[in-house]
Amino acid sequence: METKINVLRALADETRLRIINLFIKSGQVLCVCELVDALKIPQYAVSKALTIIKNADLLTAEKEGTWVYYELNKGIVHNKNLFNFLKNYLSDEIFLEDETRLNDRLLLREGDKCVVGIIPESDLLKMIKQKAEA
Amino acid sequence: METKINVLRALADETRLRIINLFIKSGQVLCVCELVDALKIPQYAVSKALTIIKNADLLTAEKEGTWVYYELNKGIVHNKNLFNFLKNYLSDEIFLEDETRLNDRLLLREGDKCVVGIIPESDLLKMIKQKAEA
DNA sequence: TTGTTATATGCCATTTTTTGCATACAAACA
DNA sequence: TGTTTGTATGCAAAAAATGGCATATAACAA
């Protein structure tokens, strides 16, 4: 009981909802800096939001060097239903913009892994272009 | 955007979630005093919760004499998806107890309408028995 | 060791939410 | 009219959430 409400409370915040949306729509494992760039929100805010979502058992985390990769916790049956529902429910514009920025940011990955930290938005397009040329 | 978050915020509270659960599970139009008895929560708390849920466009209200009947707002496509999801998602014990008390309370209706106000829990069973005998 | 990078967290001020009580309102009835 | 009844709301205290900054931690690199 406590748990279901914790889950719904974890969803009841714009930042957290935008984060969850990115996991659901991208279907990816994501690290903190990728989320920071996609959301254009301070690192500490993303980190705090992730902690709350994780404490509600909606995410799992795995450390890899200095990077921490988060992932939807599909190990809970109810979570899967929730994610399926949200996949269609969250269709608003702000979410789409996040998704676009995340897709851009993921172009900088190498072998499915994040290899750079937080990138100022002004540099992102240049870096993508550079990488495309190389 | 604002709206989706408002909806999720409306769900992020135990009282409000228990109320929404009763509407979803019972499939009924319900008045305030029936909810008060089913939830065993003060009238003002139920009334305030209903206002918040209604402001999130999840409920509609209709006045009938001194009684006010609330109903799920299925006029919004996204709401229907939400209610379908919640119907399965909200399965915890506290919700079941509410549902049982509501079913008892609805036995006092006459012609699908509520005809009594808030009933002390100690009196409810007696009144049901009386009504059954009559 | 020292420095750097990615991430997390403690703290504080501010804002928002919740809770409880009292009371207001509105409709029915005497 | 006055009274009762079902419901809503204003207000203030308490509790909780939020936002921002600084800093801590942990892992890697030189």
Side-chain angles (χ1 to χ4, degrees), chain A residues 74-133:
Chain A
K74 297 181 182 171
I76 297 176
V77 176
H78 273 132
N79 283 359
K80 284 203 261 186
N81 297 328
L82 175 61
F83 300 149
N84 280 334
F85 161 68
L86 289 176
K87 189 164 191 168
N88 297 304
Y89 190 72
L90 302 178
S91 53
D92 307 81
E93 207 171 312
I94 185 174
F95 295 121
L96 297 178
E97 292 165 8
D98 291 341
E99 293 160 32
T100 300
R101 278 194 300 271
L102 178 63
N103 285 335
D104 285 347
R105 180 57 216 281
L106 290 179
L107 293 174
L108 293 182
R109 280 192 172 188
E110 288 181 13
D112 272 345
K113 292 295 170 190
C114 179
V115 292
V116 293
I118 297 170
I119 308 289
E121 207 195 2
S122 51
D123 295 358
L124 187 56
L125 289 182
K126 296 180 207 163
M127 294 179 66
I128 292 173
K129 202 170 291 183
Q130 277 185 349
K131 190 171 169 63
E133 287 162 1

Side-chain angles (χ1 to χ4, degrees), chain B residues 79-90:
Chain B
N79 282 1
K80 284 204 261 186
N81 297 330
L82 174 61
F83 299 149
N84 280 333
F85 161 67
L86 289 176
K87 189 163 191 167
N88 297 303
Y89 190 72
L90 303 178

Side-chain angles (χ1 to χ4, degrees), chain B residues 9 12-13 16 44 48 52 63 65-66:
Chain B
R9 290 180 73 80
D13 172 87
R16 299 196 293 265
Y44 68 80
K48 282 181 178 176
I52 292 173
K63 196 159 192 172
T66 48

Side-chain angles (χ1 to χ4, degrees), chain B residues 2-3 6-8 14 17 21-22 27-28 40 48 50 58 63 68 75 90 95 97 104 111-112 117 120 126 131:
Chain B
E2 241 325 75
T3 308
N6 276 348
V7 169
L8 290 169
E14 179 173 322
L17 202 55
N21 177 67
L22 284 180
Q28 294 269 358
K40 300 202 288 183
K48 282 181 178 176
L50 285 168
L58 293 176
K63 196 159 192 172
V68 177
L90 303 178
F95 295 122
E97 293 165 6
D104 285 347
D112 273 345
K126 297 179 208 164
K131 189 172 169 62

Side-chain angles (χ1 to χ4, degrees), chain A residues 55-69:
Chain A
N55 285 342
D57 282 333
L58 292 175
L59 290 176
T60 59
E62 199 166 337
K63 197 159 191 172
E64 238 174 85
T66 49
W67 274 269
V68 177
Y69 287 95

Side-chain angles (χ1 to χ4, degrees), chain B:
Chain B
M1 177 55 194
E2 241 325 75
T3 308
K4 294 281 172 57
I5 287 187
N6 276 348
V7 169
L8 290 169
R9 290 180 73 80
L11 301 178
D13 172 87
E14 179 173 322
T15 298
R16 299 196 293 265
L17 202 55
R18 287 170 67 194
I19 289 177
I20 290 171
N21 177 67
L22 284 180
F23 280 102
I24 290 177
K25 298 290 177 54
S26 74
Q28 294 269 358
V29 174
L30 300 171
C31 76
V32 180
C33 58
E34 288 171 334
L35 290 167
V36 169
D37 288 344
L39 300 170
K40 300 202 288 183
I41 283 178
Q43 178 271 325
Y44 68 80
V46 172
S47 198
K48 282 181 178 176
L50 285 168
T51 299
I52 292 173
I53 302 170
K54 179 164 167 276
N55 286 342
D57 283 333
L58 293 176
L59 290 176
T60 58
E62 200 167 335
K63 196 159 192 172
E64 240 175 80
T66 48
W67 274 267
V68 177
Y69 286 95
Y70 285 85
E71 186 174 5
L72 288 180
N73 180 5
K74 297 181 182 171
I76 297 174
V77 176
H78 273 131
N79 282 1
K80 284 204 261 186
N81 297 330
L82 174 61
F83 299 149
N84 280 333
F85 161 67
L86 289 176
K87 189 163 191 167
N88 297 303
Y89 190 72
L90 303 178
S91 54
D92 307 80
E93 208 173 311
I94 186 173
F95 295 122
L96 298 178
E97 293 165 6
D98 291 341
E99 294 161 31
T100 301
R101 278 194 300 270
L102 178 63
N103 285 337
D104 285 347
R105 180 52 160 77
L106 291 179
L107 293 175
L108 292 182
R109 282 192 171 186
E110 286 179 15
D112 273 345
K113 291 295 169 191
C114 179
V115 292
V116 293
I118 296 170
I119 308 290
E121 207 196 1
S122 53
D123 295 357
L124 186 57
L125 289 181
K126 297 179 208 164
M127 293 179 65
I128 292 173
K129 202 170 290 180
Q130 276 184 353
K131 189 172 169 62
E133 288 165 357

